[in-house]
């Protein structure tokens, strides 16, 4: 799929080329109401999905080496479904039953709702942020005397641990799953008009699988500032960035780009 990271610059004329195919570096949606499919239908665009990163469980044996005492904590912070799944997997393998008075802090309503797959939730023990880590910080500040457990991946943002440390809030990080690059060898020689990335790990996976990747006419889309930085650091030109004031989602940003092409 290109050259080297140093000079993977694209053809400046590519903006004149209509987007007819998009590769979304995430798993295939499980429902038919994906906004990407709406774009496909609306503009006659081929949209493929392929996860560039995969999640691997940390074994119970490996988890035990960190000597994390789950039940010594009074609250758990969840930022994703993966964290929820692997935390309760570890609990099951540890033969641990979570106490009724354990408090749960979830980054969003979606994560909180997913938590109900494992426990019966009560308002008195569930605390939810609006959507971002910063929103959750305001909630945590009101419970700063708790002893927090933060189940996470081996690759995670520094915002939550940094906030807890800065505010001298007692906490423990527990690595319960790993984020690794997917094998994308079957995508060799496949060219897309646009590739949408959602994490720096996705960019890393691209170059690990295709060390000679060259951008050429491909438009690169990135969600979030850390992903955008990873795109530029890799020597790629960023064409579509989200979220933006007029496009809070990746699909919204891609659609704005497509509409601007038609002007």
């Amino acid at each position: 799929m290109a050259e080297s990271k140093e000079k993977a610059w694209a053809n400046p004329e590519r903006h004149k080329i209509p987007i007819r195919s998009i590769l979304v570096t995430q798993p295939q949606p499980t429902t038919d109401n994906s906004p990407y499919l709406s774009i496909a239908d609306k503009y006659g665009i081929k949209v493929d999905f392929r996860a560039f990163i995969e999640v691997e469980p940390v074994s119970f044996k490996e988890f035990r080496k960190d000597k994390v005492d789950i039940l010594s904590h009074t609250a758990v912070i969840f930022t994703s479904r993966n964290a929820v799944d692997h935390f309760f997997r570890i609990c099951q393998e540890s033969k641990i039953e979570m106490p009724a008075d354990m408090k749960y802090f979830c980054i969003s309503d979606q994560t909180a709702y997913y938590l109900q797959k494992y426990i019966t939730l009560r308002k008195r023990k569930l605390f939810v942020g609006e959507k971002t880590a910063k929103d959750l910080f305001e909630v945590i500040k009101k419970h700063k005397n708790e002893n927090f457990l933060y189940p996470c991946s081996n690759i995670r943002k520094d915002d939550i641990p940094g906030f807890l440390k800065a505010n001298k809030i007692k906490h423990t990080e527990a690595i319960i799953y790993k984020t690794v690059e997917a094998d994308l060898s079957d995508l060799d020689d496949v060219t897309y008009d646009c590739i949408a990335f959602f994490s720096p790990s996705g960019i890393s996976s691209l170059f690990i699988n295709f060390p000679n990747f060259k951008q050429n006419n491909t438009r690169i889309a990135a969600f979030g500032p850390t992903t955008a930085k990873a795109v530029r650091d890799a020597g790629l030109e960023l064409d579509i960035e989200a979220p933006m004031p007029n496009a809070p989602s990746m699909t919204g940003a891609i659609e704005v780009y497509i509409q601007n092409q038609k002007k």
Side-chain angles (χ1 to χ4, degrees):
M1 258 167 131
E3 206 173 69
S4 74
K5 293 185 181 182
E6 295 180 1
K7 284 285 183 180
W9 290 108
N11 173 13
E13 296 296 310
R14 72 196 180 287
H15 296 294
K16 299 177 183 179
I17 303 172
I19 290 180
R20 297 300 182 196
S21 61
I22 300 174
L23 177 61
V24 181
T25 61
Q26 289 186 327
Q28 179 81 28
T30 56
T31 63
D32 294 330
N33 61 351
S34 167
Y36 293 100
L37 301 181
S38 297
I39 285 182
D41 292 339
K42 186 175 180 179
Y43 297 100
I45 293 173
K46 175 188 175 185
V47 178
D48 290 338
F49 297 87
R50 180 60 184 275
F52 271 39
I53 57 175
E54 295 177 345
V55 170
E56 290 183 352
V58 166
S59 68
F60 176 56
K61 182 178 180 180
E62 188 175 354
F63 174 78
R64 287 184 63 186
K65 291 180 181 179
D66 291 334
K67 298 180 179 179
V68 175
D69 182 0
I70 293 176
L71 294 179
S72 69
H73 299 82
T74 59
V76 185
I77 298 172
F78 289 118
T79 58
S80 70
R81 292 185 178 189
N82 281 327
V84 173
D85 283 335
H86 289 284
F87 174 77
F88 284 98
R89 171 185 59 82
I90 290 291
C91 287
Q92 183 179 27
E93 293 177 7
S94 305
K95 295 181 171 56
I96 288 176
E97 184 173 343
M98 298 303 287
D101 59 351
M102 181 67 75
K103 295 179 180 178
Y104 301 94
F105 292 75
C106 297
I107 197 166
S108 66
D109 286 329
Q110 290 85 353
T111 305
Y113 182 79
Y114 189 73
L115 186 56
Q116 296 181 79
K117 177 179 177 181
Y118 296 96
I119 61 173
T120 301
L121 296 175
R122 300 183 183 88
K123 288 185 178 179
R124 65 180 174 84
K125 65 180 181 180
L126 177 64
F127 307 90
V128 185
E130 291 289 331
K131 192 174 182 181
T132 68
K134 286 186 177 180
D135 298 328
L136 189 59
F137 295 163
E138 297 304 314
V139 180
I140 292 175
K141 282 180 182 179
K142 299 175 183 178
H143 302 269
K144 59 190 311 178
N145 292 326
E146 301 292 342
N147 183 9
F148 288 89
L149 179 63
Y150 176 39
C152 59
S153 166
N154 61 320
I155 299 175
R156 53 101 178 115
K157 294 181 180 179
D158 294 330
D159 48 5
I160 290 178
F163 167 81
L164 295 172
K165 290 176 184 177
N167 288 272
K168 299 180 180 180
I169 297 174
K170 193 173 181 181
H171 69 282
T172 305
E173 283 188 52
I175 297 176
I176 54 172
Y177 64 99
K178 297 179 181 179
T179 303
V180 298
E181 296 81 12
D183 179 3
L184 306 174
S185 55
D186 59 306
L187 288 180
D188 204 6
D189 298 325
V190 175
T191 302
Y192 287 85
D193 295 322
C194 177
I195 305 178
F197 292 94
F198 301 85
S199 71
S201 299
I203 303 298
S204 174
S205 179
L206 172 69
F207 282 101
I208 285 175
N209 280 277
F210 308 104
N212 295 318
F213 176 80
K214 191 172 183 179
Q215 188 171 355
N216 293 325
N217 295 326
T218 299
R219 269 54 60 88
I220 300 294
F223 189 89
T226 57
T227 309
K229 182 178 184 298
V231 168
R232 297 186 177 103
D233 288 348
L236 300 171
E237 187 167 350
L238 182 59
D239 304 290
I240 303 169
E241 189 170 358
M244 298 293 282
N246 62 335
S249 66
M250 176 65 88
T251 49
I254 291 174
E255 187 163 15
V256 167
Y257 181 90
I258 293 171
Q259 291 172 347
N260 286 338
Q261 280 193 309
K262 297 179 179 297
K263 292 180 181 178

